[in-house]
């Protein structure tokens, strides 16, 4: 008896039974046995050996930090293994219904998308789970309210204020007719003892 793989004789494989221990992908193929005696030879039908590799993460998804409404959220992993591979992304443990590839594209970042993302990949041979990739979304500053126009008598005071929200420390700079008012960096601006001609257009950059 001589066993063959893809038509090539396997060294030492001369028993009636062929046993392959610790099978690898390289051993997949078409196996047959060539049986000979003094008078003739006969080759068996081929038996196809398919070896399925379990999923393997080549590259883990990385953490992402961006600004909500400005940056695009994309997480990516590189996965190897035998097809078909099934991909499923989770956000804070909850599966994302339409996320079914190694790359997760969620468009413009929203504050509701912040959290921990994990990818689970499965096939017939098993499953692999990625690290937890943390996504953070910073909120840009926005003005929530402002005081309106002011009309005063000479010698009186005028006060303007602005309400703002956003992530982190919020900074302010007041202007008069487009010119920086030095030192006026609070959320309110108070002008005292105003004289004729000291009015104008006042604004603040947050």
């Amino acid at each position: 008896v001589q066993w063959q793989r893809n038509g090539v004789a396997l060294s030492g494989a001369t028993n009636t039974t062929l046993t392959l221990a610790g099978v690898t992908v390289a051993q997949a193929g078409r196996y047959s046995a060539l049986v000979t005696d003094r008078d003739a030879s006969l080759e068996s039908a081929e038996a196809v050996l398919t070896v399925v590799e379990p999923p393997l993460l080549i590259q883990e998804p990385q953490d992402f930090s961006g600004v909500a409404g400005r940056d695009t959220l994309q997480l990516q992993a590189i996965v190897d293994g035998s097809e078909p591979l099934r991909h499923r992304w989770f956000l804070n443990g909850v599966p994302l219904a339409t996320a079914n590839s190694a790359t997760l594209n969620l468009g413009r970042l929203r504050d509701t998308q912040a959290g921990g993302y994990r990818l689970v990949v499965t096939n017939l041979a098993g499953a692999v789970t990625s690290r937890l990739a943390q996504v953070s979304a910073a909120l840009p500053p926005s003005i929530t309210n402002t005081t309106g126009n002011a009309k005063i008598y000479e010698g009186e005071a005028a006060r303007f204020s602005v309400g703002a929200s956003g992530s982190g420390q919020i900074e302010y700079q007041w202007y008069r007719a487009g010119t920086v008012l030095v030192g006026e960096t609070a959320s309110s601006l108070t002008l005292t003892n105003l004289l004729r001609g000291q009015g104008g257009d006042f604004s603040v950059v947050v």
Side-chain angles (χ1 to χ4, degrees):
V1 178
Q2 176 60 63
W3 286 92
Q4 305 173 109
R5 175 179 172 274
N6 298 332
V8 178
L10 297 173
S11 177
T14 57
N15 295 324
T16 55
T17 300
L18 175 64
T19 301
L20 303 173
V23 175
T24 65
V25 173
Q27 291 174 296
R30 304 183 311 277
Y31 286 81
S32 62
L34 182 64
V35 182
T36 60
D37 60 15
R38 291 180 301 174
D39 301 317
S41 63
L42 179 65
E43 185 173 357
S44 72
E46 290 184 336
V48 177
L49 173 63
T50 302
V51 181
V52 180
E53 279 189 302
L56 175 65
L57 275 165
I58 305 300
Q59 178 179 302
E60 298 270 7
Q62 300 301 305
D63 296 342
F64 180 90
S65 180
V67 176
R70 184 192 72 184
D71 296 325
T72 300
L73 174 56
Q74 181 183 86
L75 299 176
Q76 185 176 27
I78 298 177
V79 186
D80 195 11
S82 297
E83 297 288 349
L85 292 169
R86 183 173 181 268
H87 305 79
R88 176 59 65 91
W89 286 90
F90 293 80
L91 169 58
N92 298 329
V94 178
L96 300 176
T98 59
N100 53 13
S101 70
T103 300
L104 178 64
N105 290 303
L106 293 179
R108 292 292 183 186
L109 180 63
R110 304 188 302 273
D111 59 334
T112 55
Q113 293 173 323
Y117 288 77
R118 197 185 299 277
L119 173 65
V120 177
V121 185
T122 59
N123 69 2
L124 293 175
V128 66
T129 301
S130 76
R131 65 181 290 273
L132 194 66
Q134 294 292 342
V135 171
S136 60
L139 295 176
S142 62
I143 294 176
T144 57
N145 60 79
T146 59
T147 52
N149 297 331
K151 185 176 183 180
I152 63 170
Y153 292 103
E154 191 173 32
E156 291 184 338
R159 185 177 186 274
F160 302 99
S161 64
V162 60
S165 64
S167 299
Q169 180 179 346
I170 297 178
E171 299 178 352
Y172 306 85
Q173 178 59 63
W174 288 89
Y175 294 80
R176 179 181 184 274
T179 301
V180 172
L181 294 175
V182 178
E184 299 296 346
T185 56
S187 60
S188 62
L189 171 67
T190 301
L191 306 170
T192 58
N193 298 320
L194 289 171
L195 302 176
R196 183 183 297 273
Q198 290 182 320
D201 295 326
F202 293 84
S203 61
V204 61
V205 173
V206 179

